[in-house]
Amino acid sequence: MSAIVEILVNEKLVDEQRIEQAMGLAIATASRARRLSPPNPWVGAVVLSASGEVVGTGSTQAPGGSHAEVAALLEAGELARDGVLVVTLEPCNHQGRTPACTEQIIAAGISRVFVAIEDPDPLVAGSGIERLRSAGLQVSLGTRAAEVREQLAPYLHQRLTGRAFCVVKTAMSLDARSVARDGTSQWITGPEARADAHNLRADSQAVIIGAGTALADSPSLNARDATPSTTRQPNRVLLDARGRVPATGPLFDQSIADTVVFTTDSADAEAIKAWRAAGALVEVVEPQGSGVHLEQVLQLLSEKHGVLQAMVEGGAAMHAAFIEASLVDRIVAYVAPTFLGRDGRLAFDLDGPSTVMDASKWRITNTMLVGSDIRITLDPIVAAEELS
């Protein structure tokens, strides 16, 4: 290899490493917007000067605020001219609550853009990349794409399916029981696992329970002691097909967070009236068996309430209903090192398959020791393949 060729190869490797590192910084920056940006995606951007130095970073602000690219460009100022923009998601190319990011990137004098993944939103869907290229910018796609797909999994799922990304959270014993013989369930897991579950709530825009859990526990369902703290509480979502739950207690205290009730035409009219009088939003959907139509719940949460991720906390029967309807996109199980025995209630009250060959398949994507308990994260195999 000649000296000139070797120098060119080495420069290319250095350039690729610099872009990989910059995308890593963009991914880390995006994570800070996780609880702030919904219903917009949490995106991170980094601006490199013409000499390759980081001169600007930015993440998506609250709805109506700057997108990540614009925030990074504002920080970079004139140093962005002839520089490189590295961003986790394709820049938007339409006027919404904010101007199109593509036009601001072009106006800033950026020469090259590295994008991790395309935005599946029909308003974007490749048009952002096309606009930048038509303006003469070099655009490269795919840097650290798998990491960004995982980071933005709820957003991507919501845009592709029209449904909120559904996370089932459960706490159980080693023998998969969530309630002891006498009906007690607090606390199967330790304080560290409970704190981690509140972080999961804070990362969601809705927390779903059923009438049975609401009547038994009278929960508040807010995210407490989240790290970092959150100023936006998830919607508390009650599924009550018949109007069994009275409009009282913490669940209907609107000073804690908003409450949305999904019910059916079978519900008592006085119950619906009381829910609305308490300040809850009431959505009437079709029945499904003895409950509400779960797919409609996830669709309406997405379309009308800006929910990207919905967390299901509501008991063994509800967990089973979402699983059997093939609507669960992730399971987070906190497993305590204890046994509750055959008389304890199962964490998942499933009918189950007639044979092992027909059992649903899940992929363990993460295991983590949380205090004295283990947190296991599982994704359905089909969903995992779609995201890869």
Side-chain angles (χ1 to χ4, degrees):
M1 183 184 295
S2 71
I4 293 176
V5 172
E6 186 174 357
I7 289 170
L8 291 174
V9 169
N10 289 338
E11 285 180 350
K12 184 174 184 296
L13 289 173
V14 169
D15 183 60
E16 289 176 351
Q17 290 170 358
R18 185 180 290 119
I19 298 304
E20 290 272 340
Q21 291 168 356
M23 187 63 79
L25 177 57
I27 292 169
T29 303
S31 67
R32 296 199 286 270
R34 178 68 175 81
R35 298 171 185 174
L36 181 67
S37 65
N40 295 326
W42 40 102
V43 178
V46 172
V47 177
L48 303 177
S49 68
S51 61
E53 300 301 317
V54 174
V55 292
T57 61
S59 59
T60 312
Q61 301 303 296
S66 297
H67 289 189
E69 305 92 312
V70 175
L73 290 169
L74 287 172
E75 185 176 289
E78 281 301 311
L79 293 174
R81 190 156 300 278
D82 298 322
V84 173
L85 174 68
V86 178
V87 61
T88 57
L89 186 68
E90 177 184 7
C92 68
N93 189 45
H94 62 280
Q95 172 77 45
R97 282 180 282 197
T98 59
C101 289
T102 51
E103 300 308 316
Q104 298 182 72
I105 293 167
I106 294 165
I110 289 290
S111 64
R112 189 168 186 183
V113 180
F114 288 83
V115 179
I117 62 173
E118 286 189 10
D119 189 340
D121 189 311
L123 293 173
V124 188
S127 67
I129 292 173
E130 182 180 349
R131 172 67 184 112
L132 295 174
R133 285 175 173 162
S134 69
L137 281 71
Q138 296 182 57
V139 182
S140 299
L141 182 66
T143 303
R144 301 181 76 155
E147 294 170 67
V148 175
R149 287 194 190 98
E150 172 56 30
Q151 184 179 54
L152 285 174
Y155 169 78
L156 299 174
H157 172 87
Q158 188 257 8
R159 288 299 193 270
L160 288 167
T161 67
R163 300 191 308 268
F165 185 83
C166 180
V167 178
V168 163
K169 169 260 172 184
T170 187
M172 66 175 76
S173 61
L174 278 172
D175 51 348
R177 265 59 178 174
S178 60
V179 181
R181 179 190 305 169
D182 65 354
T184 58
S185 60
Q186 297 179 342
W187 299 102
I188 294 173
T189 55
E192 296 88 351
R194 296 198 296 275
D196 190 74
H198 277 279
N199 281 322
L200 191 58
R201 278 186 185 176
D203 284 343
S204 305
Q205 293 77 55
V207 180
I208 302 174
I209 61 168
T213 298
L215 291 168
D217 297 342
S218 187
S220 60
L221 294 186
N222 59 328
R224 303 181 295 277
D225 302 321
T227 305
S229 61
T230 181
T231 57
R232 296 176 63 184
Q233 289 291 335
N235 290 295
R236 287 95 52 81
V237 178
L238 169 65
L239 309 187
D240 185 354
R242 291 177 289 163
R244 296 166 55 199
V245 180
T248 58
L251 185 59
F252 288 90
D253 183 348
Q254 304 305 306
S255 68
I256 296 174
D258 292 338
T259 304
V260 184
V261 181
F262 285 87
T263 190
T264 68
D265 288 331
S266 300
D268 182 76
E270 288 302 312
I272 294 177
K273 183 178 178 181
W275 290 333
R276 286 178 171 148
L281 297 169
V282 179
E283 301 281 7
V284 179
V285 298
E286 294 176 13
Q288 186 176 46
S290 60
V292 300
H293 197 288
L294 299 180
E295 186 169 9
Q296 287 185 13
V297 168
L298 294 177
Q299 288 172 339
L300 284 171
L301 285 175
S302 166
E303 294 169 5
K304 293 185 63 175
H305 301 280
V307 174
L308 300 182
Q309 176 170 298
M311 178 179 171
V312 180
E313 289 205 31
M318 179 166 290
H319 292 163
F322 274 95
I323 290 170
E324 288 172 340
S326 299
L327 293 171
V328 178
D329 304 297
R330 182 159 293 166
I331 295 174
V332 178
Y334 296 91
V335 183
T338 188
F339 295 93
L340 292 180
R342 66 174 63 90
D343 292 329
R345 297 180 201 165
L346 289 168
F348 299 97
D349 191 11
L350 294 158
D351 287 336
S354 58
T355 173
V356 170
M357 296 300 294
D358 294 333
S360 60
K361 302 297 191 295
W362 296 76
R363 181 181 70 159
I364 296 174
T365 59
N366 183 263
T367 59
M368 180 172 65
L369 190 65
V370 184
S372 61
D373 307 306
I374 293 177
R375 168 179 159 155
I376 304 173
T377 303
L378 308 98
D379 290 354
I381 293 292
V382 171
E385 289 173 350
E386 288 174 350
L387 288 174
S388 63

